[in-house]
Amino acid sequence: MKKVIINGTIVTASDTYKADVCIENGVITQIGTSLSTEGAEVIDAKGNYLFPGAIDPHTHLDMPFGGTVTKDDYETGTIAAAFGGTTTIIDFCLTSKGKPLQSSIDTWHAKSKDKAVIDYGFHLQIVEGSDEVLSELPKVVENEGITSFKVFMAYKNVFQADDETLFKTLLAGKELGALVMVHAENGDVIDYLVKKALAEGNTEPIYHALTRPPEAEGEATGRAATLTALAESQLYVVHVSCAEAARKIAEARSNGVDIWGETCPQYLVLDQTYLEKPDFEGAKYVWSPPLREKWNQEVLWNALKSGTLQTIGSDQCSFDFDGQKTLGKDDFSAIPNGGPIIEDRVSILFSEGVKKGRISLNQFVDLTSTRAAKLFGLYPKKGTIAVGADADIVIFDPNVERVISAETHHMAVDYNAFEGIQVIGEPVSVLSRGEFVILDKQFVGKAGAGQYLKRGKYGEEIVLEEVSSVVS
Ligand code: URP
Ligand code: ZN
Ligand code: ZN
């Protein structure tokens, strides 16, 4: 059925204006004033913004890690994402040495199909640069529409790949039109520091941060940037947490390297002191890279404002405190790394960023949606409000106040990393391809309604189908 959203203020990465939006067959067919509402369901968005559905370029749902499996799967994770205004996620498909890539991709399709309530795509992990793996990549791009490859430079003996693998992946990315992503920390140095700390009897959560110093992140970021320049390829650095890494990205960008950077809400509002919370509570705040000294937050905000960093990912990787984080009760290196962020990513950025004057409203849209769509082959089908685009729209109340809490969140975990933080602004209703997933703050979507997205190549825009013209 046709829908017309009236009285809202449309915000894109470039413009803010009042207009009605007409939706038919899942796409936006008209944008204008006083659009005909005949035969349409009319949605009054008075006093609210209309944002393009947010895109989370960094999630780990139903992922085995740290001796356990993330608590949120494709159903609970995407429901929580939708409550937070996210209508597309790109999740990391893990692979294993010696196993065909396609079998890992099939595993990820099985995890997501019939469960996702919003649209989703996959990034593909590259653990080894063997001939078998490299020869499979063209098919991965062409058949699966997976146009981003992920290399971990840390997690020794688990996910970590060597520099040869990273370099070969960069060369393949250039040839195939795929964006290479890195978790940039020096895994070898960290492994040494972790063993040393444990041998000295230092087992508490704070040692997670103390054994992963910012220099290890800065060094790996700089190394990855140098290899990208050498390969004349393109690179996206995930979860940038500190000044050292942001500086390396700024330096490489100023030298013309095609490098992009993402940070996450946790690095913008939480800091290293959280790992010192008593009664093992610090384990709730164990991420890699770790939370940093507070002064880094201003550096990250400035990097977002100035364009050194361009996206915000959640790095959703949730574990219960009780029973999962507690696996590391006597050994910080056994605490599963990661946290529940998917639901609050957009709210935190709006409240702490826009409301506090750190970024503009249009920058907020770019950071949470548009830029990710452009980098990951989804634009302009996703990432903007325009005629012909998918009707992924967030009706957002910019004035409502709420306190974030595990008592009210929709993620499957038993704590919220932002517990007690007051935010201004919240999605009221969320549409995915023209259908409500969230309506007046209630979930009305359906497991399995989310579609798998075959994405375009790096640097290419999707050509939209022709629809009826703009009426003004
Ligand atoms: O601690 C984190 N970031 N967990 C998720 C896995 C990763 O490194 O992105
Ligand atoms: Zn990572
Ligand atoms: Zn991650």
Side-chain angles (χ1 to χ4, degrees):
M1 186 197 188
K2 174 171 152 177
K3 292 186 176 74
V4 180
I5 308 176
I6 60 168
N7 296 326
T9 299
I10 295 173
V11 188
T12 68
S14 55
D15 301 298
T16 306
Y17 60 103
K18 279 186 184 292
D20 303 337
V21 179
C22 178
I23 299 164
E24 287 161 282
N25 300 321
V27 298
I28 298 170
T29 50
Q30 294 177 56
I31 298 173
T33 49
S34 309
L35 296 184
S36 164
T37 56
E38 205 182 310
E41 177 184 350
V42 177
I43 301 128
D44 190 350
K46 193 168 183 338
N48 294 329
Y49 288 131
L50 305 184
F51 295 140
I55 297 172
D56 191 338
H58 187 158
T59 68
H60 305 274
L61 298 178
D62 196 359
M63 186 183 88
F65 188 35
T68 183
V69 179
T70 60
K71 192 75 194 299
D72 282 287
D73 64 10
Y74 265 84
E75 186 163 350
T76 63
T78 57
I79 289 173
F83 270 106
T86 294
T87 54
T88 299
I89 60 162
I90 314 180
D91 196 65
F92 287 96
C93 170
L94 294 185
T95 59
S96 310
K97 279 191 179 162
K99 199 169 139 191
L101 299 176
Q102 190 61 49
S103 74
S104 301
I105 296 169
D106 292 345
T107 300
W108 245 255
H109 279 304
K111 286 174 189 285
S112 48
K113 196 176 163 291
D114 301 331
K115 283 202 155 189
V117 308
I118 54 172
D119 293 351
Y120 58 96
F122 302 147
H123 309 291
L124 186 71
Q125 183 197 6
I126 307 296
V127 261
E128 58 181 340
S130 64
D131 291 347
E132 289 77 16
V133 165
L134 295 173
S135 67
E136 245 191 294
L137 289 178
K139 269 196 284 165
V140 165
V141 170
E142 296 305 326
N143 300 352
E144 294 285 342
I146 296 180
T147 51
S148 41
F149 307 144
K150 167 78 174 290
V151 176
F152 287 92
M153 300 171 79
Y155 301 124
K156 194 166 176 162
N157 302 323
V158 185
F159 295 150
Q160 189 173 327
D162 57 18
D163 286 351
E164 181 183 345
T165 299
L166 174 56
F167 190 61
K168 284 179 173 172
T169 306
L170 284 162
L171 292 171
K174 177 190 159 80
E175 191 185 320
L176 300 172
L179 183 55
V180 177
M181 311 169 80
V182 279
H183 172 131
E185 286 186 294
N186 186 319
D188 289 352
V189 169
I190 288 167
D191 186 60
Y192 169 80
L193 294 173
V194 168
K195 283 181 181 147
K196 183 168 178 290
L198 290 173
E200 290 168 356
N202 297 315
T203 59
E204 299 86 9
I206 185 61
Y207 284 94
H208 173 78
L210 299 179
T211 55
R212 306 184 85 99
E215 289 83 353
E217 187 181 343
E219 184 279 326
T221 305
R223 183 162 27 110
T226 302
L227 296 180
T228 303
L230 189 61
E232 297 179 0
S233 188
Q234 50 271 346
L235 185 74
Y236 177 98
V237 184
V238 301
H239 52 41
V240 173
S241 74
C242 61
E244 281 81 352
R247 277 194 210 114
K248 292 287 181 188
I249 293 171
E251 191 184 301
R253 287 176 69 80
S254 74
N255 289 331
V257 181
D258 195 0
I259 179 170
W260 307 90
E262 164 202 277
T263 189
C264 313
Q266 52 272 35
Y267 301 118
L268 294 168
V269 299
L270 309 176
D271 63 72
Q272 192 178 297
T273 61
Y274 281 72
L275 282 102
E276 292 170 330
K277 283 184 182 267
D279 302 325
F280 194 63
E281 235 202 297
K284 292 178 180 174
Y285 306 94
V286 164
W287 278 275
S288 295
L291 298 177
R292 302 299 187 184
E293 288 179 12
K294 197 166 175 57
W295 62 266
N296 286 277
Q297 292 172 2
E298 199 187 334
V299 176
L300 296 178
W301 280 114
N302 288 337
L304 291 173
K305 191 181 171 78
S306 67
T308 293
L309 301 178
Q310 303 82 19
T311 62
I312 299 284
S314 68
D315 194 7
Q316 166 77 14
C317 189
S318 60
F319 301 102
D320 270 338
F321 177 67
D322 215 356
Q324 292 191 294
K325 288 284 186 179
T326 48
L327 291 169
K329 194 98 186 74
D330 303 314
D331 171 359
F332 70 87
S333 72
I335 300 168
N337 291 195
I341 306 291
I342 202 165
E343 187 164 351
D344 301 307
R345 178 182 71 109
V346 173
S347 282
I348 291 278
L349 200 72
F350 183 82
S351 189
E352 292 289 320
V354 179
K355 284 287 182 181
K356 294 195 174 169
R358 290 166 163 143
I359 52 169
S360 74
L361 191 58
N362 307 99
Q363 265 179 325
F364 157 82
V365 170
D366 201 36
L367 288 163
T368 53
S369 179
T370 314
R371 183 62 63 166
K374 287 180 176 170
L375 289 173
F376 293 109
L378 294 169
Y379 188 82
K381 181 177 155 70
K382 307 281 188 193
T384 193
I385 294 181
V387 171
D390 280 0
D392 293 355
I393 296 174
V394 181
I395 303 176
F396 191 89
D397 179 345
N399 298 313
V400 67
E401 294 187 16
R402 75 184 170 100
V403 175
I404 296 177
S405 174
E407 309 243 307
T408 48
H409 76 197
H410 302 88
M411 294 176 283
V413 279
D414 61 3
Y415 77 99
N416 189 303
F418 303 119
E419 186 73 35
I421 293 182
Q422 171 142 23
V423 285
I424 306 178
E426 187 180 21
V428 179
S429 297
V430 177
L431 296 108
S432 166
R433 280 177 285 100
E435 298 299 328
F436 283 107
V437 185
I438 306 296
L439 179 60
D440 293 331
K441 303 188 188 180
Q442 300 299 316
F443 176 66
V444 294
K446 203 168 107 257
Q451 288 181 358
Y452 175 70
L453 298 165
K454 289 189 179 182
R455 296 178 288 118
K457 292 188 177 176
Y458 176 71
E460 289 177 9
E461 282 196 6
I462 293 170
V463 178
L464 297 174
E465 307 259 312
E466 206 170 302
V467 294
S468 52
S469 58
V470 183
V471 179
S472 55

